[in-house]
């Protein structure tokens, strides 16, 4: 028995061909999960300038100011930013925020000693040009550490006598702390 030609049959063949092509082309250039995770670690695991900039923009918007004043910034792999902010309306009070690249978390109050000089510990994002290029900070820390197959596990920025960005680099065999000035120039490499 011979089937009559149908206008639906060519459409089905085209759809089948398109699905086959699409499913096969998904394999071209695919990166295996382990390679992807290795590449992410090499690139700082999501520690980016955009994360910092967007986090600070969200904080400024929350407080209704042009720029926030902070006492610490912590950047962790997998896009996590932690910031301790001086409340512009009550500068003697600190709040801790987390930012995941999209959502700014709710504030957590931070206890402050009566004798603590918050003015001496505070800084703004503009005072730390190195945070405008976190990717370079990660690359420079890896290069300065001297660790083979190292990865950056965190960046912390604080101010004691001066503003410092401390970058922890580790491998399965060693750990090194690389400390940068606010301009992104390393001045201390300390094996731990």
């Amino acid at each position: 028995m011979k089937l009559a030609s149908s206008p639906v049959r060519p459409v089905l063949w085209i759809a089948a061909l398109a699905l086959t092509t699409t499913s096969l082309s998904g394999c071209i250039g695919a990166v295996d999960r382990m390679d992807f995770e290795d590449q992410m670690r090499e690139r700082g695991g999501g520690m980016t300038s955009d994360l910092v900039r967007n986090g600070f923009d969200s904080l400024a918007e929350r407080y209704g100011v042009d720029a926030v004043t902070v006492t610490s910034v912590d950047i962790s792999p997998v896009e996590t930013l932690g910031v301790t902010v001086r409340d512009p309306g009550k500068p003697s009070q600190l709040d801790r925020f987390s930012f995941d690249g999209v959502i700014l978390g709710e504030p957590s109050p931070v206890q402050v000693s009566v004798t603590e000089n918050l003015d001496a510990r505070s800084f703004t994002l503009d005072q730390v040009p190195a945070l405008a290029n976190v990717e370079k900070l990660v690359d420079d820390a890896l290069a300065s550490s001297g660790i083979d197959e190292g990865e950056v596990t965190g960046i912390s920025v604080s101010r004691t006598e001066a503003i410092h960005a401390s970058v922890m680099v580790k491998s399965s065999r060693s750990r090194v702390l690389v400390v940068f000035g606010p301009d992104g120039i390393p001045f201390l490499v300390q094996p731990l």
Side-chain angles (χ1 to χ4, degrees):
M1 175 170 155
K2 191 173 182 181
L3 294 174
S5 176
S6 164
V8 177
R9 182 165 280 166
V11 173
L12 290 175
W13 277 106
I14 292 170
L17 182 62
L19 285 172
T20 302
T21 304
T22 304
S23 66
L24 290 176
S25 67
C27 296
I28 297 172
V31 177
D32 123 333
R33 180 74 179 169
M34 189 178 298
D35 290 342
F36 174 76
E37 289 175 359
D38 288 344
Q39 288 173 4
M40 281 298 290
R41 276 192 295 278
E42 288 172 11
R43 294 180 186 154
M47 293 183 276
T48 65
S49 304
D50 286 343
L51 175 68
V52 174
R53 186 175 33 260
N54 293 340
F56 271 76
D57 287 349
S58 294
L59 286 164
E61 183 178 318
R62 183 190 191 288
Y63 283 109
V65 295
D66 291 333
V68 291
T69 302
V70 303
T71 59
S72 70
V73 177
D74 298 302
I75 309 166
S76 302
V78 195
E79 295 188 58
T80 305
L81 177 70
V83 183
T84 303
V85 180
R86 286 183 78 178
D87 184 332
K90 300 175 184 173
S92 64
Q93 295 182 0
L94 299 177
D95 290 314
R96 183 75 177 169
F97 288 88
S98 65
F99 180 70
D100 68 2
V102 178
I103 298 170
L104 180 66
E106 290 300 313
S108 298
V110 176
Q111 290 188 352
V112 178
S113 168
V114 180
T115 61
E116 197 165 352
N117 183 352
L118 292 180
D119 290 335
R121 290 185 44 215
S122 300
F123 58 94
T124 62
L125 185 60
D126 291 343
Q127 291 176 289
V128 192
L131 291 179
N133 195 347
V134 173
E135 297 82 355
K136 182 175 179 350
L137 199 61
V138 167
D139 291 344
D140 290 351
L142 290 168
S144 297
S145 72
I147 294 179
D148 290 334
E149 299 181 17
E151 65 182 75
V152 172
T153 60
I155 300 171
S156 293
V157 182
S158 61
R159 180 177 187 176
T160 49
E161 293 174 10
I163 300 169
H164 297 107
S166 302
V167 182
M168 179 64 72
V169 180
K170 75 172 196 169
S171 71
S172 58
R173 298 192 179 273
S174 56
R175 292 183 312 160
V176 172
L177 185 66
V178 183
V179 183
F180 294 83
D183 55 359
I185 305 296
F187 67 86
L188 175 67
V189 177
Q190 179 65 50
L192 302 174

